[in-house]
Amino acid sequence: MSVQERKERERASRERLIVATARELAEQQGWDAVTTRRLAERIEYSQPVLYSHFRGKREIIGAVALQGATEMAVAMRAATAAAEGPRERVAALARAYLDFAARHPAVYDAIFQLDGGLAYAREDTPEPLKDAFAALLETLGEVAGEGVHPGLFTEVFWAALHGQATLTRAGRLPPEDTAVRVEVLVDRLAVL
């Protein structure tokens, strides 16, 4: 292994450590607790080292969002792959989405609520974000209904899931009714 390869490997390792530490701190204490000073202390590197990887908190949020979008896509695909029939796949997709949002609130915020400097719904949207939407579209496109654009249907269904996730977490919807809400959403919105 060359010196250059070793340095690149070490740099990638430090970057993963920064992202993992930011994510852990955000999940424990919220995004307000994530500062470059606290991250530098936790990873035991100086702030200039941290800034050599990310220009600031915004880019760190973006990195967490991309990592989270990849994980969310994997979770949704795994849930739908285990389900048989369109209705079961849509319900599994909805449950996987809402479960991810509930289990990883800081990551969910990084993806959908916070400014991570990422482009959404544009040509230059990063691949992990496009793939997370594709994971929704793969299942929802088949139940959009005749004359309904699959992408638009997916956006509407996704908005309903996002609303449920956000309102439940904010205490505006009782969490014990989540399963019933999923059933209503699946039965009323999807053409099965």
Side-chain angles (χ1 to χ4, degrees):
M1 175 185 309
S2 73
V3 172
Q4 181 63 31
E5 289 171 330
R6 182 183 52 78
K7 285 183 179 183
E8 287 174 12
R9 193 177 74 233
E10 289 171 357
R11 179 172 176 75
S13 178
R14 269 193 315 272
E15 194 166 298
R16 284 190 303 274
L17 177 62
I18 293 166
V19 172
T21 304
R23 182 176 172 163
E24 178 183 315
L25 186 57
E27 291 290 5
Q28 292 171 351
Q29 300 176 29
W31 279 104
D32 286 343
V34 179
T35 64
T36 54
R37 173 173 282 156
R38 288 185 83 185
L39 284 175
E41 288 171 2
R42 282 208 176 190
I43 64 171
E44 298 178 343
Y45 283 100
S46 67
Q47 282 183 295
V49 169
L50 194 135
Y51 282 116
S52 75
H53 290 274
F54 299 99
R55 286 182 287 203
K57 182 176 176 177
R58 181 179 187 219
E59 284 189 4
I60 294 169
I61 290 169
V64 170
L66 294 176
Q67 185 182 74
T70 299
E71 292 169 10
M72 181 180 250
V74 167
M76 290 187 296
R77 285 189 176 109
T80 58
E84 291 187 31
R87 185 191 189 291
E88 292 76 17
R89 279 192 295 279
V90 173
L93 175 83
R95 286 189 299 270
Y97 183 99
L98 294 171
D99 182 58
F100 183 91
R103 285 186 301 112
H104 307 287
V107 174
Y108 189 82
D109 284 350
I111 301 169
F112 298 116
Q113 303 286 98
L114 302 175
D115 179 9
L118 304 173
Y120 286 80
R122 296 189 339 214
E123 285 298 317
D124 59 339
T125 297
E127 228 18 75
L129 298 177
K130 287 180 181 178
D131 189 53
F133 184 78
L136 290 164
L137 181 61
E138 289 161 10
T139 295
L140 296 171
E142 69 180 285
V143 297
E146 192 174 320
V148 178
H149 188 279
L152 292 176
F153 177 78
T154 299
E155 290 171 352
V156 170
F157 200 97
W158 170 30
L161 290 174
H162 177 71
Q164 284 189 58
T166 304
L167 291 169
T168 301
R169 191 162 119 215
R172 304 303 195 271
L173 295 175
E176 62 271 12
D177 294 334
T178 298
V180 175
R181 279 189 220 95
V182 166
E183 294 303 313
V184 170
L185 181 62
V186 171
D187 289 340
R188 299 289 190 251
L189 215 51
V191 177
L192 302 166

